[in-house]
Amino acid sequence: MISLADIEAARERVDGVARHTPLERSRTFSEMSGADVHLKLENFQRTGAFKIRGATNRIATLPPEAREAGVVTASAGNHAQGVALAAERAGVDATVVMPKFAPVSKVKATRGYGASVRLEGVDYDEAQAAAHGLERENGLTYVHAFDDPAVMAGQGTLGLEIADDRPDLDTVVVPIGGGGLISGVAVAVKERLGDVRVVGVQAEGAASAAASLSAGEVREIEGVDTIADGIATRSIGEAPLEVMREYVDEVVTVDDREIALALTLLLERSKTLVEGAGAVALAATLSEAFDYDDEETIVAALCGGNIDLNRLGTVVRRGLVQMGRYLKITVDLKDRPGELERVSSIVARAGANVYAVHHDRTSRDVAVNAAELELELETDDAEHAASIVEELEADGYEVEVLS
C-alpha cells in the first residue's frame, strides 16, 4: 500500500521532468452539467500523458546495477513514451514492446524518445508477455505500466497538484486502465484533503475494475474493444486493487459513443485535443454516469492527448453523429431523369450541407428500374437531421438512416 509520504517523495524525483499541468474551470461544461467542472489538463504533460510521472519515479529508484543493465516495458503507447523519455533523461537503455496494432503516432514518438521498440502481440497483455520474456533473457528490469508501488506513487503526483490547485474540490473523476493512476491520485487527494469523493471511469469495452472490486480479487476479462486504447487492459493490477478497495468510492463505465461525444465537445468548445482515454472522465460527468449535486465542484482528469490522426477523424465523426451534426442516409430513387435534382432540392431547402454523394444503379440490391442514392450531410442538430428525413419521406422517398 502506498502512502502520502511515498507520493510526496516521488514529487521531488519527478520535479523537473514532469510538468505541473494546468487545472482550469470550464464554463461550457459547467453549464452543460449543472456542476462546477474543472479540467485537469494532463494532455499538456510532456509526452502528452501522465505516464512520465510514474516512469520517472520508478527509474529514479533503480539500484546502480539495474540502471546499468537497462529497463524493458510493455505499453499501448503512453507508458511507452513515458518510459522512453524517463530512461533517456536518466541515461538508462530502454526497450519497449508495443502491440502490433498500436497507433503509428505513438510508435514513432516512442522511438523518437530514444527507446528500442518491438511490436509483439495483438493487445497490451500479449505485448506484456513478450516483454517479460526479454526481462528474463537479458536481465532487464521490467517497468510495469501500473502494478508497481513506485509507478503508482509517481502517478499520484498528479493528485498532489489537484489538491494544491483546487483544495475545495468535492469529487475527482479519474480514468481506470490498470489502476495505477487512480490509486496514486486517490491516496494523494484523500490523505491531503480528507472528505473528497473519488470516482473511477472505465470504458464499457474494457471494464474489469468493478468486477474485481466486487470479488475482492483481480478478475480478468476475455478481451477489450474500445476507442479508448490508452485504458484498454484486460484487468487492473494487484497493487492498485488493494489501494482502490480502500480509497476509491465508485467505479462507473461509459460507452464509445459517450467517449466520442466528450472528445468532440472538448475539441470544439474548449479547443482541447485529447485521446479516447483522456475523454472518459468528462464523458462520465456529462452522461451523469455518477450522481452529483448542482454546483458540486468536480475535477475531471484529462489524462492524455496522444490520439492517432487517422483515428481522430473517425472518432470526431462519431461525436458529430451523437450531436446530430452529421447524417448519413440512403434514398431509393426511380431511375429516371430529374430524380437526383429533386432530392438535392429538398436537401437544399432544408438547409443541409452535402459532404458526399454516391449514386448507384448497378448494385444487385437495387431494382432494375431504380437507383440508390447515399448522402452524407452536415446538419445543425438532431432535430434538424430528423426534419430532413421527414421531408424526404413526405415527398414519397424511402429513407434509411445509416448514421
Side-chain angles (χ1 to χ4, degrees):
M1 180 77 72
I2 60 172
S3 67
L4 179 61
D6 294 326
I7 299 171
E8 289 174 336
R11 180 184 237 178
E12 294 183 11
R13 298 187 189 105
V14 306
D15 184 41
V17 179
R19 298 184 177 120
H20 185 130
T21 51
L23 178 61
E24 297 181 355
R25 183 179 187 274
S26 171
R27 177 177 177 181
T28 294
F29 299 126
S30 295
E31 291 176 351
M32 290 177 67
S33 65
D36 182 27
V37 176
H38 299 252
L39 305 177
K40 177 58 172 172
L41 300 172
E42 191 66 6
N43 55 309
F44 291 168
Q45 185 54 263
R46 187 165 287 151
T47 75
F50 69 94
K51 294 288 191 176
I52 184 65
R53 299 173 182 269
T56 297
N57 191 49
R58 180 68 183 92
I59 291 172
T61 60
L62 290 175
E65 61 273 16
R67 294 169 64 92
E68 180 67 25
V71 299
V72 64
T73 194
S75 171
N78 288 335
H79 179 62
Q81 294 175 67
V83 169
L85 180 58
E88 188 272 334
R89 292 291 295 268
V92 174
D93 290 337
T95 300
V96 178
V97 184
M98 304 179 75
K100 292 178 181 177
F101 304 110
V104 173
S105 59
K106 294 184 179 182
V107 174
K108 289 183 176 180
T110 303
R111 286 184 172 135
Y113 288 123
S116 173
V117 176
R118 295 180 58 161
L119 301 179
E120 302 282 351
V122 298
D123 61 12
Y124 167 78
D125 296 272
E126 291 187 5
Q128 183 185 48
H132 281 306
L134 294 174
E135 173 192 14
R136 292 187 295 269
E137 293 168 12
N138 301 307
L140 306 177
T141 297
Y142 185 82
V143 181
H144 202 286
F146 48 83
D147 202 3
D148 182 309
V151 171
M152 293 156 59
Q155 318 303 27
T157 61
L158 185 148
L160 292 181
E161 292 177 12
I162 292 173
D164 289 345
D165 295 343
R166 196 78 256 170
D168 60 341
L169 74 93
D170 298 305
T171 298
V172 60
V173 190
V174 186
I176 301 176
L181 176 63
I182 194 170
S183 298
V185 170
V187 171
V189 297
K190 288 204 167 189
E191 292 294 335
R192 179 67 71 83
L193 301 178
D195 189 22
V196 174
R197 180 172 57 152
V198 178
V199 176
V201 188
Q202 288 202 295
E204 192 175 83
S208 64
S212 297
L213 288 167
S214 178
E217 62 182 15
V218 173
R219 291 291 174 86
E220 183 175 303
I221 58 178
E222 290 185 3
V224 295
D225 183 16
T226 175
I227 61 174
D229 57 90
I231 54 172
T233 59
R234 293 182 189 174
S235 69
I236 59 175
E238 295 278 0
L241 176 61
E242 182 183 3
V243 175
M244 290 168 64
R245 290 175 64 184
E246 181 172 344
Y247 285 91
V248 175
D249 298 284
E250 184 178 358
V251 174
V252 300
T253 61
V254 289
D255 61 32
D256 279 358
R257 294 174 303 168
E258 292 163 335
I259 296 170
L261 176 59
L263 187 154
T264 305
L265 286 169
L266 280 163
L267 192 57
E268 181 178 59
R269 304 299 297 275
S270 296
K271 308 301 181 284
T272 298
L273 177 64
V274 299
E275 59 190 280
V280 297
L282 181 63
T285 304
L286 296 181
S287 65
E288 299 183 7
F290 61 96
D291 295 328
Y292 52 83
D293 298 327
D294 290 344
E295 302 303 321
E296 180 173 332
T297 300
I298 298 172
V299 171
L302 309 187
C303 65
N306 293 317
I307 187 167
D308 185 79
L309 290 180
N310 290 325
R311 172 162 287 191
L312 177 61
T314 301
V315 174
V316 169
R317 185 63 54 85
R318 287 193 186 187
L320 291 172
V321 169
Q322 292 299 109
M323 296 163 68
R325 300 267 297 279
Y326 171 83
L327 176 65
K328 186 176 182 179
I329 59 175
T330 59
V331 182
D332 290 338
L333 303 180
K334 293 294 182 182
D335 189 16
R336 60 193 180 196
E339 283 297 297
L340 181 57
E341 181 181 4
R342 185 179 167 201
V343 170
S344 298
S345 297
I346 295 171
V347 170
R349 287 199 304 271
N353 189 37
V354 178
Y355 277 125
V357 177
H358 180 68
H359 184 266
D360 186 2
R361 58 182 181 182
T362 62
S363 171
R364 287 183 294 180
D365 297 327
V366 178
V368 174
N369 63 340
E372 182 181 80
L373 179 66
E374 183 178 282
L375 293 172
E376 296 180 51
L377 306 174
E378 178 185 2
T379 51
D380 295 338
D381 50 35
E383 184 177 349
H384 184 211
S387 70
I388 294 169
V389 174
E390 290 172 2
E391 288 190 38
L392 288 167
E393 291 177 336
D395 229 58
Y397 293 105
E398 291 186 20
V399 180
E400 179 183 0
V401 177
L402 301 179
S403 62

